[in-house]
Amino acid sequence: MNLRRTVSGSVLAARSAAVYVVAETGLRTLGLRRTCFVLGVRLSGPSSTAARTTLDTSRLTGRELRALRVARRVLRLRAVNGTCLRSALVLGRTLRARDPEIVLGVRRVGDRIAAHAWLRVDGADLDPEGLADRYLELGRPSGNAA
């Protein structure tokens, strides 16, 4: 294995882990809007009626794809709470040069309401879990909503 590639992967993993810690701490202390601001990821505005499209990953650079793969591996670690919201924050920070936004959605599951978060990059959805199309998109929280 190439030593340069191994070191690069280790740096990417450490960076993703640090972003995760900032995201987790921010969500617990600052709320969602401020955490998004700290990480440089926009929170989606009012939902549009336009048809959703899935991000064509061939539009991403090799470096971006590798960083996303490493971040997803970090988010799957046992000690990490890799929920969809935390994943969206970490992956959004990873792709911050593309000005990503976090999209929140809800749906009814029996007598409960379920929520989901994913990224929108270049106008297309990036949802590693592939659940975005099952959720009704929400607008941006107002006031002091977390």
Side-chain angles (χ1 to χ4, degrees):
M1 177 173 258
N2 185 345
L3 180 60
R4 175 185 248 163
R5 188 169 176 85
T6 302
V7 170
S8 173
S10 298
V11 169
L12 287 172
R15 187 176 297 154
S16 293
V19 170
Y20 167 76
V21 169
V22 169
E24 185 66 35
T25 304
L27 288 172
R28 292 174 183 263
T29 59
L30 303 173
L32 179 56
R33 288 186 319 149
R34 289 185 186 143
T35 301
C36 285
F37 177 78
V38 168
L39 292 175
V41 181
R42 290 184 302 127
L43 193 54
S44 177
S47 61
S48 69
T49 56
R52 294 189 203 166
T53 59
T54 301
L55 181 67
D56 178 8
T57 55
S58 68
R59 294 176 22 196
L60 300 176
T61 67
R63 179 174 280 163
E64 289 170 331
L65 288 171
R66 184 156 192 261
L68 287 175
R69 278 194 305 274
V70 170
R72 293 286 298 153
R73 268 190 255 136
V74 168
L75 289 163
R76 285 192 298 266
L77 293 173
R78 179 176 286 164
V80 172
N81 180 359
T83 63
C84 58
L85 180 58
R86 284 143 180 94
S87 294
L89 287 165
V90 172
L91 299 179
R93 176 66 182 177
T94 301
L95 294 174
R96 70 186 178 279
R98 291 186 176 268
D99 193 29
E101 60 182 351
I102 292 182
V103 182
L104 303 174
V106 294
R107 75 178 178 146
R108 180 178 289 280
V109 179
D111 60 346
R112 295 183 19 232
I113 300 292
H116 186 55
W118 64 94
L119 278 181
R120 183 158 294 140
V121 180
D122 298 335
D125 291 342
L126 173 62
D127 181 16
E129 297 175 31
L131 301 174
D133 60 346
R134 299 179 189 175
Y135 288 81
L136 176 63
E137 211 175 299
L138 294 176
R140 182 181 300 124
S142 60
N144 291 328

